[in-house]
């Protein structure tokens, strides 16, 4: 079949893309980053689509020529600049579904979310539910799949859980007894592929969950044991405080969760596994079985331990450059700075330009790094600046290498830290 797959560059979409092509289907893969997608080893017809902009049916009708099935795998767990629930979960999917009905597409498979039902309260669930209801009202075959938390290789939630589990003390919302029913990505993919090829699931809402419900505390304990970290050391955070911290972290963009994520966690994320088994004739795999099947590697442990250190390294380097700029321009005695510049060979007229120009450069580099703008270019420019400073001082003031406070020798670990940060920030 010819399948249009949206969100093909995401966690769920990328797994679906590989599975569908293995089954012999031809996939038109909708991605935001077309250049990055074309470097993929998966053979497909990649096209550029942006759910934040392609809000009308007219944007989708030309893309649906000769398409048999549409799979919508676009989804975000929290909003960010340019990525809003209303557009990505509701407006654009509805436009796509209506275009599909007009173009004569055979079937639409909507990957929604467990909890996008009559009891929905969060904007995440409400936005998903609105698209589900619009699809169900169209004169077209459809299957709406509502998965619980999906885990597996490449899942952002999995990376977060492992990072939390690897901390010396693992923060929990309250007692950590919120119940969830995680589903492995292989089981979700298996269900979607069957829904493509089998009409028995047409016009059905099907909840997709793992075989057993577990608490968040149990999940993190299992992840810690998988990482060979020993017993979990929980740190209980009262629910009201957790909400405030998540709201602050979400506002600053410093965490992958926000207030809505904590509220959804507190609500729980469980359902009966029987409808999944009845619809697709297989029982999903348990978390314990999947962890045993794929033992943790050194790379898994490194990733978990560096998860929170990577942004911390970037913030600390950014603040170092900003503090250096402020100190040079306003705090350190001006006459001492000019005296150093004179020793380097800078004449009196040019000294203010060098002093405040260097301070401005440091400030701009630090601010860009803090805001995570053009990180690669900024890091390379920082490295070039450190090397230039070190070279100039080595030539003109070589005695600084023997200074007891190490003003030049400290540039060596700073260069290494910047190189490490550069690698950690690359996608």
């Amino acid at each position: 079949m010819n399948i249009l797959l949206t969100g093909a560059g995401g966690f769920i979409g990328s797994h679906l893309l590989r599975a569908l092509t293995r089954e012999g289907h031809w996939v038109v893969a909708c991605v935001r980053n077309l250049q990055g997608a074309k470097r993929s080893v998966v053979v497909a017809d990649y096209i550029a689509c942006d759910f934040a902009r392609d809000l009308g049916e007219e944007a989708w009708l030309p893309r649906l020529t000769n398409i048999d099935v549409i799979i919508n795998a676009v989804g975000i767990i929290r909003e960010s600049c340019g990525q809003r629930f209303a557009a990505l979960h509701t407006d654009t999917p509805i436009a796509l579904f209506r275009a599909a009905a007009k173009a004569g597409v055979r079937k639409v498979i909507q990957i929604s979310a467990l909890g996008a039902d009559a009891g929905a309260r969060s904007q995440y669930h409400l936005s998903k539910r609105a698209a589900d209801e619009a699809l169900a009202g169209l004169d077209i075959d459809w299957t709406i799949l509502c998965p619980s938390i999906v885990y597996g290789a490449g899942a952002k939630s999995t990376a977060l859980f492992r990072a939390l589990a690897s901390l010396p003390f693992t923060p929990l919302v309250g007692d950590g007894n919120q119940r969830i029913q995680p589903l492995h990505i292989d089981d979700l993919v298996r269900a979607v592929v069957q829904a493509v090829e089998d009409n028995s699931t047409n016009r059905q809402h099907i909840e997709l969950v793992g075989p057993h419900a577990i608490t968040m505390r149990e999940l993190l304990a299992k992840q810690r044991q998988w990482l060979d970290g020993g017993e979990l050391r929980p740190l209980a955070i009262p629910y009201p405080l957790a909400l405030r911290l998540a709201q602050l972290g979400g506002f600053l963009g410093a965490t992958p969760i926000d207030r809505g994520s904590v509220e959804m966690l507190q609500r729980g994320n469980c359902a009966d596994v029987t409808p999944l088994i009845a619809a697709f004739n297989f029982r999903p795999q348990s978390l314990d079985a999947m962890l045993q099947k794929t033992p943790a590697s050194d790379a898994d442990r490194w990733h978990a331990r560096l998860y929170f250190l990577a942004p911390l390294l970037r913030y600390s380097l950014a603040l170092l450059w900003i503090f250096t700029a402020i100190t040079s321009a306003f705090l350190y005695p001006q006459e001492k700075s000019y005296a150093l510049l004179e020793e380097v060979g800078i004449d009196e007229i040019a000294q203010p330009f060098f002093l405040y120009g260097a301070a401005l450069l440091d400030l701009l580099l630090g601010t860009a790094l803090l805001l995570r703008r053009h990180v690669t270019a900024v890091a390379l420019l920082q490295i070039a600046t450190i090397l230039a400073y070190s070279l100039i001082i080595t030539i003109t003031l070589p005695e600084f290498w023997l200074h007891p406070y190490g003003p030049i020798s400290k540039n060596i670990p700073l260069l290494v830290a910047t190189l490490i940060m550069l690698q950690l920030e690359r996608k």
Side-chain angles (χ1 to χ4, degrees):
M1 294 186 189
N2 294 333
I3 300 173
L4 181 83
L5 173 63
T6 66
F11 164 57
I12 292 176
S14 60
H15 280 267
L16 285 173
L17 178 58
R18 289 191 290 272
L20 291 167
T21 54
R22 282 197 304 268
E23 293 296 318
H25 301 290
W26 180 251
V27 181
V28 177
C30 299
V31 295
R32 280 197 302 157
N33 182 5
L34 191 58
Q35 293 303 316
K38 286 184 175 180
R39 294 193 293 269
S40 171
V41 296
V42 181
V43 178
D45 185 8
Y46 293 95
I47 61 173
C49 301
D50 188 346
F51 265 44
R53 298 178 182 274
D54 299 338
L55 302 173
E57 297 173 35
E58 66 281 356
W60 292 101
L61 280 169
R63 299 164 174 164
L64 300 181
T65 303
N66 298 323
I67 293 296
D68 301 308
V69 177
I70 293 173
I71 303 173
N72 178 33
V74 170
I76 55 173
I77 193 61
R78 56 161 295 188
E79 294 182 317
S80 61
C81 181
Q83 300 285 295
R84 316 302 294 182
F85 289 142
L88 273 67
H89 290 174
T90 305
D91 297 339
T92 300
I94 290 176
L96 171 60
F97 301 156
R98 290 173 176 169
K102 290 182 179 179
V105 173
R106 286 178 45 196
K107 181 190 294 187
V108 174
I109 298 174
Q110 158 79 337
I111 299 178
S112 183
L114 186 64
D117 50 32
R121 294 293 180 268
S122 69
Q123 289 303 309
Y124 170 79
H125 284 133
L126 290 169
S127 61
K128 284 282 190 179
R129 181 187 176 194
D132 296 349
E133 291 178 342
L135 175 59
L138 294 175
D139 185 19
I140 189 173
D141 283 338
W142 50 263
T143 301
I144 297 174
L145 303 176
C146 302
S148 178
I149 295 172
V150 182
Y151 69 96
K156 292 182 179 179
S157 60
T158 301
L160 174 61
F161 296 153
R162 290 175 180 173
L164 289 170
S166 68
L167 291 173
F169 295 92
T170 298
L172 298 174
V173 178
D175 56 11
N177 284 333
Q178 301 84 9
R179 292 170 62 80
I180 58 175
Q181 209 162 337
L183 177 77
H184 194 269
I185 182 61
D186 289 350
D187 292 322
L188 172 60
V189 168
R190 184 175 176 181
V192 173
V193 171
Q194 285 188 223
V196 168
E197 300 170 345
D198 186 353
N199 291 329
S200 65
T201 63
N202 286 358
R203 307 192 75 80
Q204 289 191 52
H205 288 78
I206 305 172
E207 295 176 330
L208 303 183
V209 295
H212 308 293
I214 62 173
T215 66
M216 179 57 68
R217 181 172 182 152
E218 290 171 335
L219 171 65
L220 295 175
K222 291 177 186 293
Q223 293 289 356
R224 186 175 180 88
Q225 291 172 354
W226 183 76
L227 292 165
D228 297 328
E231 295 298 319
L232 190 75
R233 292 191 287 270
L235 177 63
I237 299 176
Y239 178 62
L241 178 58
L243 284 176
R244 293 188 179 92
L245 292 175
Q247 185 174 18
L248 177 62
F251 175 75
L252 296 176
T255 66
I257 59 175
D258 58 6
R259 183 185 179 94
S261 303
V262 175
E263 290 174 338
M264 287 189 288
L265 173 64
Q266 190 71 6
R267 176 190 173 187
N269 201 244
C270 298
D272 183 4
V273 71
T274 305
L276 183 159
I277 298 172
F280 299 106
N281 197 31
F282 72 86
R283 184 176 181 82
Q285 304 163 93
S286 69
L287 176 63
D288 288 339
M290 296 309 300
L291 292 177
Q292 291 174 9
K293 186 183 295 186
T294 55
S297 65
D298 286 339
D300 293 318
R301 285 183 278 270
W302 273 96
H303 188 271
R305 293 165 185 168
L306 291 173
Y307 185 92
F308 293 114
L309 290 177
L312 184 62
L313 177 59
R314 177 171 57 85
Y315 290 139
S316 62
L317 288 173
L319 293 176
L320 173 64
W321 284 87
I322 293 172
F323 180 73
T324 300
I326 295 173
T327 301
S328 299
F330 305 109
L331 302 180
Y332 193 75
Q334 188 182 75
E335 61 275 11
K336 292 186 178 181
S337 296
Y338 287 162
L340 282 172
L341 289 173
E342 185 175 355
E343 290 187 60
V344 172
I346 307 299
D347 62 49
E348 185 176 352
I349 296 176
Q351 287 170 6
F353 296 100
F354 275 86
L355 174 61
Y356 293 104
L360 178 60
L361 175 61
D362 291 351
L363 179 64
L364 292 175
L365 290 175
T367 302
L369 194 57
L370 186 65
L371 299 177
R372 208 176 186 183
R373 301 296 175 86
H374 309 292
V375 172
T376 299
V378 169
L380 292 175
L381 187 53
Q382 286 177 338
I383 290 171
T385 302
I386 295 170
L387 290 173
Y389 285 164
S390 301
L391 179 61
I392 292 171
I393 295 175
T394 297
I395 294 172
T396 59
L397 300 170
E399 65 274 14
F400 271 49
W401 278 100
L402 303 178
H403 195 284
Y405 293 152
I408 307 304
S409 58
K410 287 177 181 175
N411 283 347
I412 296 174
L414 181 58
L415 282 169
V416 174
T418 304
L419 286 170
I420 293 172
M421 184 272 299
L422 179 59
Q423 295 304 316
L424 293 176
E425 288 292 325
R426 284 180 173 171
K427 299 298 183 183

